[in-house]
């Protein structure tokens, strides 16, 4: 349980941008930070590696995932393909309770967006948006890609200048879902993702 707790705390730290892409994660430093021995920290690294958030290599240790510009373009291409498909499948399946939940999550996301929990609020919104698709494996892949991208977004400080834009995109998607407009919702989502991609590539160092 201690390893899972440490993994959760490190994941949150990564999503807050506390560690730069490619940064080495030192067992002894983190063991001191969490008041633990190195063993649960090592086990936490294994959990984070399984999620694709860090890399582990013999004699090199643990490093935060680092994505090149090419990596990000590929990740966003996959996200557009998988997320628009999930949303298209979801729109016609929303129950009244699921729609009410989506609207509630969207309101909470508006609040979270201006604080350190922005990534978790955004994750919950998109999870609620795609849940009625009935595609749990696809959603799991989407979530992994989203988190990897969010680590880069946090590290490069790419969020603040676009916060109001992406919150408005969320509102437009919810309105389209409520109206049963599958293709309208998908159009808003694709624009939302491509704008995030363009902004992140714009703020990344040219050699990244």
């Amino acid at each position: 349980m201690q390893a899972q707790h440490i993994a959760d705390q490190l994941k949150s730290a990564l999503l807050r941008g506390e560690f730069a892409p490619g940064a080495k994660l030192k067992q002894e430093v983190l063991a001191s930070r969490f008041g633990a021995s190195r063993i649960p920290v090592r086990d936490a690294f294994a959990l984070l590696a399984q999620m694709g958030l860090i890399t582990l290599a013999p004699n090199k240790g643990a490093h935060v995932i680092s994505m090149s510009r090419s990596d990000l373009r590929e990740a966003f291409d996959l996200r557009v393909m998988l997320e628009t498909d999930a949303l298209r499948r979801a729109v016609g399946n929303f129950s009244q309770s699921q729609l009410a939940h989506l609207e509630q999550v969207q309101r909470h996301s508006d609040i979270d967006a201006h604080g350190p929990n922005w990534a978790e609020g955004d994750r919950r919104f998109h999870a609620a948006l795609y849940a009625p698709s009935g595609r749990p494996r696809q959603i799991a892949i989407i979530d992994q890609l989203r988190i990897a991208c969010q680590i880069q977004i946090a590290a490069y400080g790419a969020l603040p200048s676009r916060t109001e834009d992406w919150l408005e995109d969320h509102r437009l998607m919810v309105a389209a879902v409520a109206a049963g407009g599958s293709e309208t919702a998908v159009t808003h989502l694709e624009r939302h993702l491509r704008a995030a991609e363009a902004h992140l590539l714009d703020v990344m160092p040219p050699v990244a």
Side-chain angles (χ1 to χ4, degrees):
M1 188 63 182
Q2 192 176 22
Q4 183 64 60
H5 174 73
I6 292 172
D8 290 342
Q9 294 300 307
L10 280 174
K11 176 182 172 183
S12 295
L14 290 170
L15 292 173
R16 289 193 300 269
E18 288 188 23
F19 299 95
K24 185 171 184 177
L25 300 174
K26 299 180 179 179
Q27 283 189 22
E28 63 275 14
V29 173
L30 293 171
S32 176
R33 172 173 173 168
F34 294 113
S37 69
R38 293 190 184 191
I39 293 174
V41 173
R42 182 195 62 200
D43 293 343
F45 284 172
L47 293 172
L48 292 171
Q50 288 173 10
M51 298 170 63
L53 305 185
I54 68 172
T55 59
L56 286 175
N59 303 317
K60 291 185 178 181
H63 291 78
V64 179
I65 183 175
S66 180
M67 300 176 74
S68 66
R69 301 174 79 86
S70 177
D71 292 335
L72 279 166
R73 290 190 181 98
E74 180 182 15
F76 273 96
D77 284 347
L78 289 168
R79 287 183 58 186
V80 168
M81 179 177 66
L82 293 170
E83 294 187 46
T84 57
D85 178 74
L87 180 56
R88 187 175 283 112
R89 293 173 184 275
V91 171
N93 293 329
F94 270 88
S95 65
Q96 286 301 313
S97 63
Q98 287 173 317
L99 180 58
H101 175 65
L102 175 64
E103 292 169 342
Q104 181 184 46
V105 170
Q106 182 255 311
R107 289 192 294 270
H108 281 293
S109 177
D110 282 358
I111 298 169
D112 291 338
H114 300 283
N117 295 323
W118 71 268
E120 180 58 22
D122 187 57
R123 188 200 68 78
R124 286 196 299 264
F125 172 78
H126 284 272
L129 190 65
Y130 308 142
S133 67
R135 306 274 285 191
R137 293 177 181 82
Q138 182 171 339
I139 290 172
I141 296 170
I142 288 169
D143 198 44
Q144 185 174 2
L145 287 167
R146 290 185 61 81
I147 292 172
C149 291
Q150 284 173 333
I151 289 173
Q152 313 303 305
I153 289 168
Y156 293 117
L159 172 70
S161 64
R162 285 211 66 245
T163 299
E164 294 306 321
D165 291 338
W166 63 261
L167 290 180
E168 179 61 19
D169 289 342
H170 285 186
R171 297 181 194 111
L172 290 171
M173 283 184 268
V174 171
V177 168
S182 173
E183 292 310 310
T184 300
V186 166
T187 297
H188 289 314
L189 174 60
E190 182 166 2
R191 187 188 66 230
H192 177 70
L193 294 173
R194 289 304 185 190
E197 174 190 20
H199 187 68
L200 179 54
L201 289 170
D202 189 53
V203 300
M204 284 180 70
V207 296

